[in-house]
Amino acid sequence: MSRKAQGVAAGPPTLEDVARVAGVSRATVSRVVNGIRNVDPAIQEAVRAAVAQTGYTPNRAARSLVTRRAETIALVVSGAGDDSVEEQAAFASRVFSDPFFGRVTGGVIGYLRPRSMHPVLMFAETAEARDQVVAYLRQGSADGALVVSTHAGDPLPGMLAAAALPAVLFARPVDQVPISYVDLAHRDGARLAAEHLLARGCRRLATISGPLDVPAGQDRLTGFRDALARHGHGYVPVAEGGFTRDSGEEAMTRLLAEHPGLDGVFAANDLMAQGACRVLRAHGRRIPEDVAVVGFDDSSVAAVCDPPLTTVRQPVEDMAAEMARLLQERIEGRGGDTTGGDTGGIGSADQTDGTAGTGDDAEIRAVIFEPELVVRASA
């Protein structure tokens, strides 16, 4: 049907055009378009249908005046570095080359885009950059922050909490900080890896841990050790890595030198597992016939590894989308309800209060996802 047949004037569609097609007032259309509550669901549906029919696109500047929101979310990657241009460039390069960050970004964008919200990527690898992130949020340039921290003792979560700025973290913070987060049951994932290696008949097991100053590295090591202890293995050789391919190669080299008879290796992420496989092949070890290898994450690296990697799946995209949902709830003042609202098709997750209490504490949430073993050729 043409715009003229709809009773809509020529030119860009307006709120009045939508109101005329929907059969409601201009004020009602404005309330629906701007996400203001207490509008009857049937009327909301009629307005949305009219928006689609007319092709109306909200004016973001005008909408921001009504909602007092920027409709922009800061996606912050926080890391440790110095002020040199070289180090800052190296930090950005590491971020963009790591498949983990691409998966986080994809999950965030997948959630925000249908809701007309937009991410802006910010790096916070220096004290000055962290101050800039806080100032950016305080000025209202973004409605809140989704934070991925890459090092232990990161001060940014505490800075955001102290400033009472809406923010959600990917992964449990190292320190007790009153801030919401999503995470994985890392110990359970490491247990899956241990039990799979044992079921294959591996008896001389070792592990390449992640950095032991971050919770994920600690939990994956603890989960692996605990599972093996329950099966009578009282000692597990450990070489600490840094979640990079090079650190996996170095750790595997050390393990082989000290324990040449090992027959099973659990690496705490896929990049390190890929590095371990390279070293094992270079030393004439067949995978999995001589040494079985299990990784962690189920990133794109797992599929291209030689051989394809058996790994523990971390549903990063779903976790990132849930992180965005929690932030949206906080921004809209719905932080006290962890079960309501649209989860955007997210799978099951264990949702619990991060902090018991009243006031702001009642809004602090933790959502913990469950891992899954994905079996391929390496183990």
Side-chain angles (χ1 to χ4, degrees):
M1 182 182 293
S2 68
R3 286 173 53 78
K4 182 176 181 180
Q6 296 173 22
V8 177
T14 64
L15 282 176
E16 288 78 6
D17 296 333
V18 176
R20 189 178 302 113
V21 172
V24 299
S25 69
R26 182 187 186 281
T28 297
V29 172
S30 178
R31 292 174 68 198
V32 174
V33 168
N34 290 312
I36 298 174
R37 301 181 193 175
N38 301 323
V39 178
D40 182 89
I43 294 176
Q44 291 185 44
E45 185 59 34
V47 170
R48 293 191 184 103
V51 167
Q53 184 175 336
T54 60
Y56 172 75
T57 302
N59 183 303
R60 290 193 68 204
R63 176 179 167 129
S64 294
L65 290 174
V66 175
T67 62
R68 289 181 291 182
R69 294 180 193 150
E71 296 185 338
T72 296
I73 299 299
L75 177 56
V76 184
V77 182
S78 184
D82 57 37
D83 294 329
S84 68
V85 174
E86 293 80 6
E87 177 58 30
Q88 293 179 48
F91 177 77
S93 177
R94 289 194 297 272
V95 169
F96 287 120
S97 63
D98 191 328
F100 169 80
F101 295 105
R103 295 178 66 191
V104 171
T105 302
V108 168
I109 292 175
Y111 181 88
L112 295 180
R113 180 181 290 165
R115 293 160 178 82
S116 298
M117 301 170 73
H118 306 279
V120 56
L121 179 63
M122 303 184 74
F123 290 142
E125 75 281 23
T126 65
E128 180 182 2
R130 286 187 283 272
D131 289 339
Q132 290 173 350
V133 169
V134 173
Y136 189 80
L137 293 167
R138 277 180 163 159
Q139 293 163 3
S141 299
D143 298 316
L146 301 171
V147 181
V148 181
S149 184
T150 64
H151 70 105
D154 184 0
L156 183 60
M159 294 167 64
L160 296 171
L165 293 166
V168 180
L169 304 185
F170 194 108
R172 183 177 86 246
V174 174
D175 300 319
Q176 288 295 315
V177 178
I179 192 166
S180 296
Y181 64 88
V182 301
D183 207 345
L184 187 78
H186 296 282
R187 295 190 186 192
D188 291 343
R191 174 181 54 78
L192 293 174
E195 291 177 348
H196 181 72
L197 288 168
L198 290 171
R200 282 188 55 87
C202 298
R203 292 297 178 267
R204 298 179 300 279
L205 293 154
T207 182
I208 301 173
S209 76
L212 295 180
D213 57 355
V214 299
Q218 297 166 4
D219 288 350
R220 294 176 192 182
L221 175 58
T222 298
F224 189 69
R225 279 175 162 168
D226 285 352
L228 292 182
R230 289 191 179 97
H231 289 83
H233 294 259
Y235 172 69
V236 182
V238 179
E240 184 177 356
F243 285 147
T244 65
R245 184 181 296 108
D246 288 347
S247 72
E249 292 183 2
E250 293 167 2
M252 190 70 253
T253 300
R254 295 197 303 273
L255 286 172
L256 272 181
E258 297 169 7
H259 307 278
L262 60 82
D263 61 2
V265 175
F266 167 55
N269 83 337
D270 292 342
L271 281 171
M272 294 193 301
Q274 185 182 43
C277 287
R278 288 182 176 180
V279 171
L280 288 168
R281 290 196 309 273
H283 283 76
R285 303 300 205 278
R286 297 171 301 163
I287 306 170
E289 293 85 357
D290 299 326
V291 182
V293 179
V294 176
F296 203 110
D297 284 340
D298 194 28
S299 65
S300 58
V301 170
V304 300
C305 187
D306 182 17
L309 193 63
T310 292
T311 184
V312 177
R313 176 167 175 73
Q314 178 174 204
V316 174
E317 293 84 356
D318 290 346
M319 295 167 69
E322 178 67 0
M323 182 169 60
R325 186 186 74 83
L326 288 176
L327 182 62
Q328 183 188 25
E329 285 194 346
R330 176 69 186 271
I331 292 168
E332 295 180 355
R334 295 187 284 124
D337 177 12
T338 60
T339 58
D342 177 15
T343 63
I346 294 172
S348 61
D350 178 24
Q351 302 190 10
T352 59
D353 286 348
T355 304
T358 59
D360 289 342
D361 286 348
E363 297 180 352
I364 306 306
R365 295 289 176 261
V367 180
I368 308 301
F369 283 73
E370 296 299 323
E372 175 186 358
L373 184 70
V374 179
V375 179
R376 296 190 179 93
S378 70

